Amino acid sequence: MGSGDEQLPEIVVLGQPVVFELYDEQFCSRFRFLRPWESEEPLPHFLASRGRSTQAAICSGDFSLSAAVLANLPSLRLVVTSSAGLNHIDLTECRRRGIAVAYAGNFFSPDVADLAVGLLIDVLRKVSAGNRFVNNGLWPHKPDFPPGFKLGGKRVGIVGLGSIGFEVAKRLEAFGCGISYYSRKQKPFVSYTSYSTIHELASNCDVLVLCCSLTEQTHHMVNREVMLALGKDGVIVNIARGAVIDEKDLVSCLLRGEIAGAGLDVFEHEPRPSPELYQLDNVVLSPHNAVLTEESMEGLYQLICGNLDAFFIGKPLLSQVPDE
Amino acid sequence: MGSGDEQLPEIVVLGQPVVFELYDEQFCSRFRFLRPWESEEPLPHFLASRGRSTQAAICSGDFSLSAAVLANLPSLRLVVTSSAGLNHIDLTECRRRGIAVAYAGNFFSPDVADLAVGLLIDVLRKVSAGNRFVNNGLWPHKPDFPPGFKLGGKRVGIVGLGSIGFEVAKRLEAFGCGISYYSRKQKPFVSYTSYSTIHELASNCDVLVLCCSLTEQTHHMVNREVMLALGKDGVIVNIARGAVIDEKDLVSCLLRGEIAGAGLDVFEHEPRPSPELYQLDNVVLSPHNAVLTEESMEGLYQLICGNLDAFFIGKPLLSQVPDE
């Protein structure tokens, strides 16, 4: 580290956000970073000894920013998380301590919606299964690849009609799908049919696309009962958080043919999806990369730097988490 | 075969359309079929001996209905092909002989467009590659799956703005793509930018989606020169016919990184795609199943029967190929 770096503002990095690895060099030309994972010290010791004067942190979406961790950073005034979700951060403690939180907000919504639609087409039209079929050299021997299912006319239920849910709905309307939803708050200016329970939504749909936050209320919300209501021709797409589905129930419903298929970007225990989900032709698995495009990483790098710059010169943050 | 079947109208089946296999029983309750593939006689002998009085034929999209084949069917007055494409039928000879031709017309366009979009998202967002990555158990060991590319903002060039091309354009607009096209005829009522050569279209686009017919003019239209114009970040989706692309050029451009990826439902020599295309993470292969959904097969069954019924009672056909 050159001596000029000492002038740069100091940031502690909690977790290892992908964007930080991809833009390591660019980040380092603008800030000076504490990297706990490079130290042999346990995190609490590292923070207690090295982070006493650190005012700002970058945090990844899979790092649990608890009150205990925050207690080791007495000077902290800003957390910038690289995620849109906030369930990994103790917001109450941040608020109590006067720590501002900036996040990715709706920045990723179009990319996440794109993957949701891609997973849905993939499951219905057997794209990954067809790719495997051709790649394994089976086509000349079994000319009749089984038909898939039409997307047009499918009744799609959006679970959580926030920014991502809206983007998914907009795209699927262009394919001729009917849209309805179940959301915490009813949306008064929306023409889509709203159902007051997830069970009712599932009973009236062919497809569920999960776009909600993970909260105590949504934990295991999509369970066996909901899947039975969706029915044996039903398909589930999850680009929300793994634990919104009861993964054990999902596995058993898929294996028994009680639902028709699933496209999953998220899992209860990442990076280890239930092994029974592997190699099923009606299931498409994706390594939690719904936000991961070259373009979004470049934009996220800019957004994180913009928030840090704003903080250090005392201007309003670009994407501050609003108060409840 | 029961004696009552003798009363049913006789149809010769040329090629083995998938819909005929899927709806065999239903077809047989309404018509009596000659099935040349079940005979040991060569086709010309079979037709010459058994088909002299046959008035109607069902024909698959991969059966070459040449003047020589037609010569063995002197009483033929109707051909119903299960395909939307017509390049396998000698239309001039049919016209000369007064044989009406019915086809699937635009019936499949939405399903084909859905698969085109699915293949594009799959290539850009690495869906099949990600599925393979998770299924092979790599996720816990290599947590950083490489980022894909954003669909929003991509400049998509539609090659052949017919019914399928329009359906593709409509869908991709909802993802925030810019649309332009190259087509035999300029479309006066369309706001998309039109280019007068395929080369010019490729130079101004990030993605080419091939939706044109296969004709002498379009054979190998997408060659190395066009791919170089598209450039190293470019992606090609082909749901038209294999020979619209020079597959040898495609393989070499993909292997040298001169284009970024491809999603292919069709190939020059089906069912044998160039083996160099197998197992590439930036290529998605599909076994020519863009039209193949349960719903479209049911609809196609109805359409074929409707055409045959209309013919035998002397009513206008449901989907006759228009005169040039």
PDB file of all heavy atoms in Angstrom, chain B residues 129-162:
ATOM      1  N   ALA B 129     -26.243 -22.864 -18.329  1.00  0.00           N
ATOM      2  CA  ALA B 129     -24.894 -23.027 -17.763  1.00  0.00           C
ATOM      3  C   ALA B 129     -24.966 -23.027 -16.233  1.00  0.00           C
ATOM      4  O   ALA B 129     -24.290 -23.824 -15.564  1.00  0.00           O
ATOM      5  CB  ALA B 129     -23.973 -21.917 -18.266  1.00  0.00           C
ATOM      6  N   GLY B 130     -25.793 -22.141 -15.674  1.00  0.00           N
ATOM      7  CA  GLY B 130     -25.951 -22.082 -14.222  1.00  0.00           C
ATOM      8  C   GLY B 130     -26.596 -23.340 -13.676  1.00  0.00           C
ATOM      9  O   GLY B 130     -26.211 -23.855 -12.615  1.00  0.00           O
ATOM     10  N   ASN B 131     -27.571 -23.851 -14.423  1.00  0.00           N
ATOM     11  CA  ASN B 131     -28.243 -25.089 -14.033  1.00  0.00           C
ATOM     12  C   ASN B 131     -27.244 -26.249 -13.995  1.00  0.00           C
ATOM     13  O   ASN B 131     -27.205 -27.030 -13.048  1.00  0.00           O
ATOM     14  CB  ASN B 131     -29.356 -25.375 -15.057  1.00  0.00           C
ATOM     15  CG  ASN B 131     -30.277 -26.504 -14.652  1.00  0.00           C
ATOM     16  OD1 ASN B 131     -30.610 -26.671 -13.486  1.00  0.00           O
ATOM     17  ND2 ASN B 131     -30.688 -27.298 -15.628  1.00  0.00           N
ATOM     18  N   ARG B 132     -26.392 -26.291 -15.020  1.00  0.00           N
ATOM     19  CA  ARG B 132     -25.372 -27.342 -15.079  1.00  0.00           C
ATOM     20  C   ARG B 132     -24.381 -27.186 -13.917  1.00  0.00           C
ATOM     21  O   ARG B 132     -24.005 -28.162 -13.264  1.00  0.00           O
ATOM     22  CB  ARG B 132     -24.653 -27.230 -16.424  1.00  0.00           C
ATOM     23  CG  ARG B 132     -23.787 -28.391 -16.779  1.00  0.00           C
ATOM     24  CD  ARG B 132     -23.522 -28.449 -18.284  1.00  0.00           C
ATOM     25  NE  ARG B 132     -23.050 -27.193 -18.846  1.00  0.00           N
ATOM     26  CZ  ARG B 132     -23.503 -26.659 -19.978  1.00  0.00           C
ATOM     27  NH1 ARG B 132     -24.464 -27.257 -20.656  1.00  0.00           N
ATOM     28  NH2 ARG B 132     -23.017 -25.532 -20.435  1.00  0.00           N
ATOM     29  N   PHE B 133     -23.995 -25.937 -13.646  1.00  0.00           N
ATOM     30  CA  PHE B 133     -23.072 -25.611 -12.555  1.00  0.00           C
ATOM     31  C   PHE B 133     -23.606 -26.109 -11.207  1.00  0.00           C
ATOM     32  O   PHE B 133     -22.905 -26.769 -10.436  1.00  0.00           O
ATOM     33  CB  PHE B 133     -22.883 -24.094 -12.563  1.00  0.00           C
ATOM     34  CG  PHE B 133     -22.046 -23.506 -11.467  1.00  0.00           C
ATOM     35  CD1 PHE B 133     -20.670 -23.466 -11.580  1.00  0.00           C
ATOM     36  CD2 PHE B 133     -22.638 -22.934 -10.345  1.00  0.00           C
ATOM     37  CE1 PHE B 133     -19.889 -22.887 -10.585  1.00  0.00           C
ATOM     38  CE2 PHE B 133     -21.880 -22.355  -9.349  1.00  0.00           C
ATOM     39  CZ  PHE B 133     -20.494 -22.329  -9.465  1.00  0.00           C
ATOM     40  N   VAL B 134     -24.888 -25.822 -10.941  1.00  0.00           N
ATOM     41  CA  VAL B 134     -25.474 -26.264  -9.665  1.00  0.00           C
ATOM     42  C   VAL B 134     -25.657 -27.784  -9.657  1.00  0.00           C
ATOM     43  O   VAL B 134     -25.285 -28.458  -8.694  1.00  0.00           O
ATOM     44  CB  VAL B 134     -26.823 -25.559  -9.400  1.00  0.00           C
ATOM     45  CG1 VAL B 134     -27.435 -26.068  -8.089  1.00  0.00           C
ATOM     46  CG2 VAL B 134     -26.636 -24.049  -9.340  1.00  0.00           C
ATOM     47  N   ASN B 135     -26.206 -28.317 -10.758  1.00  0.00           N
ATOM     48  CA  ASN B 135     -26.456 -29.764 -10.828  1.00  0.00           C
ATOM     49  C   ASN B 135     -25.179 -30.590 -10.680  1.00  0.00           C
ATOM     50  O   ASN B 135     -25.216 -31.707 -10.169  1.00  0.00           O
ATOM     51  CB  ASN B 135     -27.112 -30.119 -12.171  1.00  0.00           C
ATOM     52  CG  ASN B 135     -28.618 -29.940 -12.125  1.00  0.00           C
ATOM     53  OD1 ASN B 135     -29.230 -30.063 -11.075  1.00  0.00           O
ATOM     54  ND2 ASN B 135     -29.208 -29.647 -13.262  1.00  0.00           N
ATOM     55  N   ASN B 136     -24.069 -30.048 -11.153  1.00  0.00           N
ATOM     56  CA  ASN B 136     -22.811 -30.777 -11.032  1.00  0.00           C
ATOM     57  C   ASN B 136     -22.145 -30.591  -9.665  1.00  0.00           C
ATOM     58  O   ASN B 136     -21.021 -31.042  -9.449  1.00  0.00           O
ATOM     59  CB  ASN B 136     -21.834 -30.361 -12.141  1.00  0.00           C
ATOM     60  CG  ASN B 136     -22.298 -30.861 -13.503  1.00  0.00           C
ATOM     61  OD1 ASN B 136     -23.155 -31.739 -13.593  1.00  0.00           O
ATOM     62  ND2 ASN B 136     -21.741 -30.302 -14.567  1.00  0.00           N
ATOM     63  N   GLY B 137     -22.845 -29.904  -8.765  1.00  0.00           N
ATOM     64  CA  GLY B 137     -22.330 -29.757  -7.399  1.00  0.00           C
ATOM     65  C   GLY B 137     -21.149 -28.800  -7.273  1.00  0.00           C
ATOM     66  O   GLY B 137     -20.394 -28.865  -6.312  1.00  0.00           O
ATOM     67  N   LEU B 138     -20.998 -27.871  -8.249  1.00  0.00           N
ATOM     68  CA  LEU B 138     -19.836 -26.974  -8.214  1.00  0.00           C
ATOM     69  C   LEU B 138     -20.032 -25.758  -7.310  1.00  0.00           C
ATOM     70  O   LEU B 138     -19.058 -25.129  -6.901  1.00  0.00           O
ATOM     71  CB  LEU B 138     -19.508 -26.486  -9.635  1.00  0.00           C
ATOM     72  CG  LEU B 138     -19.070 -27.576 -10.614  1.00  0.00           C
ATOM     73  CD1 LEU B 138     -18.881 -26.991 -12.012  1.00  0.00           C
ATOM     74  CD2 LEU B 138     -17.771 -28.218 -10.131  1.00  0.00           C
ATOM     75  N   TRP B 139     -21.277 -25.420  -7.024  1.00  0.00           N
ATOM     76  CA  TRP B 139     -21.550 -24.150  -6.329  1.00  0.00           C
ATOM     77  C   TRP B 139     -20.799 -23.996  -5.001  1.00  0.00           C
ATOM     78  O   TRP B 139     -20.186 -22.949  -4.749  1.00  0.00           O
ATOM     79  CB  TRP B 139     -23.060 -23.975  -6.172  1.00  0.00           C
ATOM     80  CG  TRP B 139     -23.506 -22.604  -5.768  1.00  0.00           C
ATOM     81  CD1 TRP B 139     -22.766 -21.465  -5.693  1.00  0.00           C
ATOM     82  CD2 TRP B 139     -24.837 -22.237  -5.391  1.00  0.00           C
ATOM     83  NE1 TRP B 139     -23.543 -20.409  -5.304  1.00  0.00           N
ATOM     84  CE2 TRP B 139     -24.815 -20.853  -5.109  1.00  0.00           C
ATOM     85  CE3 TRP B 139     -26.041 -22.937  -5.281  1.00  0.00           C
ATOM     86  CZ2 TRP B 139     -25.966 -20.168  -4.713  1.00  0.00           C
ATOM     87  CZ3 TRP B 139     -27.183 -22.248  -4.889  1.00  0.00           C
ATOM     88  CH2 TRP B 139     -27.133 -20.880  -4.608  1.00  0.00           C
ATOM     89  N   PRO B 140     -20.810 -25.037  -4.139  1.00  0.00           N
ATOM     90  CA  PRO B 140     -20.105 -24.855  -2.845  1.00  0.00           C
ATOM     91  C   PRO B 140     -18.602 -24.639  -3.016  1.00  0.00           C
ATOM     92  O   PRO B 140     -17.961 -24.057  -2.148  1.00  0.00           O
ATOM     93  CB  PRO B 140     -20.364 -26.184  -2.116  1.00  0.00           C
ATOM     94  CG  PRO B 140     -21.560 -26.769  -2.787  1.00  0.00           C
ATOM     95  CD  PRO B 140     -21.484 -26.340  -4.222  1.00  0.00           C
ATOM     96  N   HIS B 141     -18.040 -25.091  -4.133  1.00  0.00           N
ATOM     97  CA  HIS B 141     -16.582 -25.036  -4.295  1.00  0.00           C
ATOM     98  C   HIS B 141     -16.115 -23.792  -5.030  1.00  0.00           C
ATOM     99  O   HIS B 141     -15.013 -23.308  -4.815  1.00  0.00           O
ATOM    100  CB  HIS B 141     -16.108 -26.299  -5.012  1.00  0.00           C
ATOM    101  CG  HIS B 141     -16.657 -27.537  -4.398  1.00  0.00           C
ATOM    102  ND1 HIS B 141     -16.303 -27.934  -3.130  1.00  0.00           N
ATOM    103  CD2 HIS B 141     -17.591 -28.423  -4.823  1.00  0.00           C
ATOM    104  CE1 HIS B 141     -16.981 -29.032  -2.813  1.00  0.00           C
ATOM    105  NE2 HIS B 141     -17.768 -29.344  -3.820  1.00  0.00           N
ATOM    106  N   LYS B 142     -16.944 -23.309  -5.955  1.00  0.00           N
ATOM    107  CA  LYS B 142     -16.589 -22.106  -6.707  1.00  0.00           C
ATOM    108  C   LYS B 142     -17.732 -21.124  -6.550  1.00  0.00           C
ATOM    109  O   LYS B 142     -18.599 -21.043  -7.409  1.00  0.00           O
ATOM    110  CB  LYS B 142     -16.458 -22.438  -8.200  1.00  0.00           C
ATOM    111  CG  LYS B 142     -15.308 -23.333  -8.578  1.00  0.00           C
ATOM    112  CD  LYS B 142     -15.084 -23.187 -10.091  1.00  0.00           C
ATOM    113  CE  LYS B 142     -15.113 -24.515 -10.782  1.00  0.00           C
ATOM    114  NZ  LYS B 142     -15.223 -24.397 -12.237  1.00  0.00           N
ATOM    115  N   PRO B 143     -17.771 -20.393  -5.450  1.00  0.00           N
ATOM    116  CA  PRO B 143     -18.951 -19.569  -5.185  1.00  0.00           C
ATOM    117  C   PRO B 143     -19.216 -18.502  -6.247  1.00  0.00           C
ATOM    118  O   PRO B 143     -20.340 -18.042  -6.389  1.00  0.00           O
ATOM    119  CB  PRO B 143     -18.674 -18.955  -3.815  1.00  0.00           C
ATOM    120  CG  PRO B 143     -17.228 -19.164  -3.556  1.00  0.00           C
ATOM    121  CD  PRO B 143     -16.774 -20.312  -4.384  1.00  0.00           C
ATOM    122  N   ASP B 144     -18.188 -18.116  -7.017  1.00  0.00           N
ATOM    123  CA  ASP B 144     -18.405 -16.993  -7.937  1.00  0.00           C
ATOM    124  C   ASP B 144     -18.727 -17.436  -9.349  1.00  0.00           C
ATOM    125  O   ASP B 144     -17.850 -17.498 -10.216  1.00  0.00           O
ATOM    126  CB  ASP B 144     -17.175 -16.081  -7.955  1.00  0.00           C
ATOM    127  CG  ASP B 144     -16.999 -15.391  -6.612  1.00  0.00           C
ATOM    128  OD1 ASP B 144     -17.992 -15.339  -5.862  1.00  0.00           O
ATOM    129  OD2 ASP B 144     -15.896 -14.934  -6.318  1.00  0.00           O
ATOM    130  N   PHE B 145     -19.995 -17.719  -9.585  1.00  0.00           N
ATOM    131  CA  PHE B 145     -20.453 -18.003 -10.937  1.00  0.00           C
ATOM    132  C   PHE B 145     -20.313 -16.709 -11.746  1.00  0.00           C
ATOM    133  O   PHE B 145     -20.657 -15.637 -11.272  1.00  0.00           O
ATOM    134  CB  PHE B 145     -21.917 -18.452 -10.881  1.00  0.00           C
ATOM    135  CG  PHE B 145     -22.448 -18.932 -12.198  1.00  0.00           C
ATOM    136  CD1 PHE B 145     -22.025 -20.142 -12.730  1.00  0.00           C
ATOM    137  CD2 PHE B 145     -23.366 -18.163 -12.910  1.00  0.00           C
ATOM    138  CE1 PHE B 145     -22.506 -20.593 -13.947  1.00  0.00           C
ATOM    139  CE2 PHE B 145     -23.841 -18.604 -14.130  1.00  0.00           C
ATOM    140  CZ  PHE B 145     -23.409 -19.813 -14.648  1.00  0.00           C
ATOM    141  N   PRO B 146     -19.786 -16.779 -12.969  1.00  0.00           N
ATOM    142  CA  PRO B 146     -19.504 -15.527 -13.704  1.00  0.00           C
ATOM    143  C   PRO B 146     -20.772 -14.750 -14.043  1.00  0.00           C
ATOM    144  O   PRO B 146     -21.809 -15.342 -14.341  1.00  0.00           O
ATOM    145  CB  PRO B 146     -18.804 -16.017 -14.978  1.00  0.00           C
ATOM    146  CG  PRO B 146     -19.154 -17.463 -15.104  1.00  0.00           C
ATOM    147  CD  PRO B 146     -19.385 -17.981 -13.722  1.00  0.00           C
ATOM    148  N   PRO B 147     -20.683 -13.407 -14.000  1.00  0.00           N
ATOM    149  CA  PRO B 147     -21.859 -12.602 -14.326  1.00  0.00           C
ATOM    150  C   PRO B 147     -22.293 -12.820 -15.771  1.00  0.00           C
ATOM    151  O   PRO B 147     -21.467 -13.080 -16.644  1.00  0.00           O
ATOM    152  CB  PRO B 147     -21.379 -11.155 -14.164  1.00  0.00           C
ATOM    153  CG  PRO B 147     -20.042 -11.216 -13.544  1.00  0.00           C
ATOM    154  CD  PRO B 147     -19.501 -12.583 -13.706  1.00  0.00           C
ATOM    155  N   GLY B 148     -23.600 -12.701 -16.013  1.00  0.00           N
ATOM    156  CA  GLY B 148     -24.128 -12.732 -17.375  1.00  0.00           C
ATOM    157  C   GLY B 148     -24.234 -11.314 -17.922  1.00  0.00           C
ATOM    158  O   GLY B 148     -23.555 -10.397 -17.452  1.00  0.00           O
ATOM    159  N   PHE B 149     -25.102 -11.150 -18.909  1.00  0.00           N
ATOM    160  CA  PHE B 149     -25.288  -9.853 -19.542  1.00  0.00           C
ATOM    161  C   PHE B 149     -26.750  -9.439 -19.442  1.00  0.00           C
ATOM    162  O   PHE B 149     -27.649 -10.266 -19.498  1.00  0.00           O
ATOM    163  CB  PHE B 149     -24.843  -9.917 -21.008  1.00  0.00           C
ATOM    164  CG  PHE B 149     -23.409 -10.307 -21.133  1.00  0.00           C
ATOM    165  CD1 PHE B 149     -23.055 -11.638 -21.278  1.00  0.00           C
ATOM    166  CD2 PHE B 149     -22.408  -9.355 -21.032  1.00  0.00           C
ATOM    167  CE1 PHE B 149     -21.716 -12.029 -21.344  1.00  0.00           C
ATOM    168  CE2 PHE B 149     -21.076  -9.709 -21.090  1.00  0.00           C
ATOM    169  CZ  PHE B 149     -20.728 -11.055 -21.254  1.00  0.00           C
ATOM    170  N   LYS B 150     -26.950  -8.131 -19.293  1.00  0.00           N
ATOM    171  CA  LYS B 150     -28.280  -7.568 -19.100  1.00  0.00           C
ATOM    172  C   LYS B 150     -29.051  -7.603 -20.419  1.00  0.00           C
ATOM    173  O   LYS B 150     -28.483  -7.316 -21.478  1.00  0.00           O
ATOM    174  CB  LYS B 150     -28.101  -6.121 -18.655  1.00  0.00           C
ATOM    175  CG  LYS B 150     -29.317  -5.461 -18.070  1.00  0.00           C
ATOM    176  CD  LYS B 150     -28.997  -3.985 -17.785  1.00  0.00           C
ATOM    177  CE  LYS B 150     -30.151  -3.325 -17.073  1.00  0.00           C
ATOM    178  NZ  LYS B 150     -30.188  -3.709 -15.639  1.00  0.00           N
ATOM    179  N   LEU B 151     -30.338  -7.941 -20.356  1.00  0.00           N
ATOM    180  CA  LEU B 151     -31.172  -7.927 -21.560  1.00  0.00           C
ATOM    181  C   LEU B 151     -31.650  -6.500 -21.863  1.00  0.00           C
ATOM    182  O   LEU B 151     -31.649  -6.078 -23.028  1.00  0.00           O
ATOM    183  CB  LEU B 151     -32.370  -8.869 -21.351  1.00  0.00           C
ATOM    184  CG  LEU B 151     -33.348  -9.040 -22.499  1.00  0.00           C
ATOM    185  CD1 LEU B 151     -32.648  -9.396 -23.799  1.00  0.00           C
ATOM    186  CD2 LEU B 151     -34.376 -10.115 -22.151  1.00  0.00           C
ATOM    187  N   GLY B 152     -32.032  -5.763 -20.830  1.00  0.00           N
ATOM    188  CA  GLY B 152     -32.530  -4.392 -21.016  1.00  0.00           C
ATOM    189  C   GLY B 152     -31.508  -3.529 -21.726  1.00  0.00           C
ATOM    190  O   GLY B 152     -30.321  -3.574 -21.400  1.00  0.00           O
ATOM    191  N   GLY B 153     -31.956  -2.757 -22.697  1.00  0.00           N
ATOM    192  CA  GLY B 153     -31.059  -1.861 -23.410  1.00  0.00           C
ATOM    193  C   GLY B 153     -30.360  -2.497 -24.609  1.00  0.00           C
ATOM    194  O   GLY B 153     -29.734  -1.783 -25.398  1.00  0.00           O
ATOM    195  N   LYS B 154     -30.448  -3.803 -24.739  1.00  0.00           N
ATOM    196  CA  LYS B 154     -29.800  -4.436 -25.885  1.00  0.00           C
ATOM    197  C   LYS B 154     -30.520  -4.033 -27.179  1.00  0.00           C
ATOM    198  O   LYS B 154     -31.736  -3.914 -27.222  1.00  0.00           O
ATOM    199  CB  LYS B 154     -29.822  -5.964 -25.749  1.00  0.00           C
ATOM    200  CG  LYS B 154     -28.878  -6.518 -24.709  1.00  0.00           C
ATOM    201  CD  LYS B 154     -27.447  -6.599 -25.198  1.00  0.00           C
ATOM    202  CE  LYS B 154     -26.507  -7.046 -24.074  1.00  0.00           C
ATOM    203  NZ  LYS B 154     -26.419  -6.075 -22.959  1.00  0.00           N
ATOM    204  N   ARG B 155     -29.716  -3.829 -28.227  1.00  0.00           N
ATOM    205  CA  ARG B 155     -30.272  -3.511 -29.542  1.00  0.00           C
ATOM    206  C   ARG B 155     -30.487  -4.823 -30.288  1.00  0.00           C
ATOM    207  O   ARG B 155     -29.534  -5.502 -30.649  1.00  0.00           O
ATOM    208  CB  ARG B 155     -29.289  -2.622 -30.304  1.00  0.00           C
ATOM    209  CG  ARG B 155     -28.986  -1.284 -29.605  1.00  0.00           C
ATOM    210  CD  ARG B 155     -27.776  -0.613 -30.245  1.00  0.00           C
ATOM    211  NE  ARG B 155     -26.618  -1.497 -30.197  1.00  0.00           N
ATOM    212  CZ  ARG B 155     -25.533  -1.352 -30.955  1.00  0.00           C
ATOM    213  NH1 ARG B 155     -25.454  -0.351 -31.824  1.00  0.00           N
ATOM    214  NH2 ARG B 155     -24.515  -2.189 -30.856  1.00  0.00           N
ATOM    215  N   VAL B 156     -31.760  -5.177 -30.460  1.00  0.00           N
ATOM    216  CA  VAL B 156     -32.097  -6.468 -31.063  1.00  0.00           C
ATOM    217  C   VAL B 156     -32.506  -6.270 -32.516  1.00  0.00           C
ATOM    218  O   VAL B 156     -33.396  -5.463 -32.815  1.00  0.00           O
ATOM    219  CB  VAL B 156     -33.241  -7.156 -30.294  1.00  0.00           C
ATOM    220  CG1 VAL B 156     -33.656  -8.450 -30.991  1.00  0.00           C
ATOM    221  CG2 VAL B 156     -32.821  -7.432 -28.851  1.00  0.00           C
ATOM    222  N   GLY B 157     -31.877  -7.005 -33.412  1.00  0.00           N
ATOM    223  CA  GLY B 157     -32.220  -6.981 -34.832  1.00  0.00           C
ATOM    224  C   GLY B 157     -33.031  -8.209 -35.205  1.00  0.00           C
ATOM    225  O   GLY B 157     -32.577  -9.330 -34.998  1.00  0.00           O
ATOM    226  N   ILE B 158     -34.240  -7.966 -35.709  1.00  0.00           N
ATOM    227  CA  ILE B 158     -35.105  -9.076 -36.126  1.00  0.00           C
ATOM    228  C   ILE B 158     -34.861  -9.313 -37.620  1.00  0.00           C
ATOM    229  O   ILE B 158     -35.013  -8.384 -38.426  1.00  0.00           O
ATOM    230  CB  ILE B 158     -36.598  -8.725 -35.914  1.00  0.00           C
ATOM    231  CG1 ILE B 158     -36.846  -8.223 -34.475  1.00  0.00           C
ATOM    232  CG2 ILE B 158     -37.488  -9.901 -36.281  1.00  0.00           C
ATOM    233  CD1 ILE B 158     -36.954  -9.267 -33.435  1.00  0.00           C
ATOM    234  N   VAL B 159     -34.501 -10.523 -37.978  1.00  0.00           N
ATOM    235  CA  VAL B 159     -34.277 -10.857 -39.377  1.00  0.00           C
ATOM    236  C   VAL B 159     -35.524 -11.570 -39.885  1.00  0.00           C
ATOM    237  O   VAL B 159     -35.795 -12.710 -39.508  1.00  0.00           O
ATOM    238  CB  VAL B 159     -33.030 -11.754 -39.538  1.00  0.00           C
ATOM    239  CG1 VAL B 159     -32.820 -12.110 -41.002  1.00  0.00           C
ATOM    240  CG2 VAL B 159     -31.803 -11.059 -38.965  1.00  0.00           C
ATOM    241  N   GLY B 160     -36.317 -10.851 -40.697  1.00  0.00           N
ATOM    242  CA  GLY B 160     -37.592 -11.404 -41.152  1.00  0.00           C
ATOM    243  C   GLY B 160     -38.707 -10.975 -40.226  1.00  0.00           C
ATOM    244  O   GLY B 160     -38.996 -11.657 -39.241  1.00  0.00           O
ATOM    245  N   LEU B 161     -39.318  -9.824 -40.535  1.00  0.00           N
ATOM    246  CA  LEU B 161     -40.360  -9.300 -39.627  1.00  0.00           C
ATOM    247  C   LEU B 161     -41.739  -9.768 -40.088  1.00  0.00           C
ATOM    248  O   LEU B 161     -42.597  -8.981 -40.467  1.00  0.00           O
ATOM    249  CB  LEU B 161     -40.279  -7.765 -39.561  1.00  0.00           C
ATOM    250  CG  LEU B 161     -41.050  -7.096 -38.418  1.00  0.00           C
ATOM    251  CD1 LEU B 161     -40.490  -7.514 -37.069  1.00  0.00           C
ATOM    252  CD2 LEU B 161     -41.016  -5.576 -38.546  1.00  0.00           C
ATOM    253  N   GLY B 162     -41.925 -11.088 -40.068  1.00  0.00           N
ATOM    254  CA  GLY B 162     -43.255 -11.651 -40.323  1.00  0.00           C
ATOM    255  C   GLY B 162     -43.975 -11.845 -39.008  1.00  0.00           C
ATOM    256  O   GLY B 162     -43.695 -11.154 -38.031  1.00  0.00           O
TER     257      GLY B 162
END
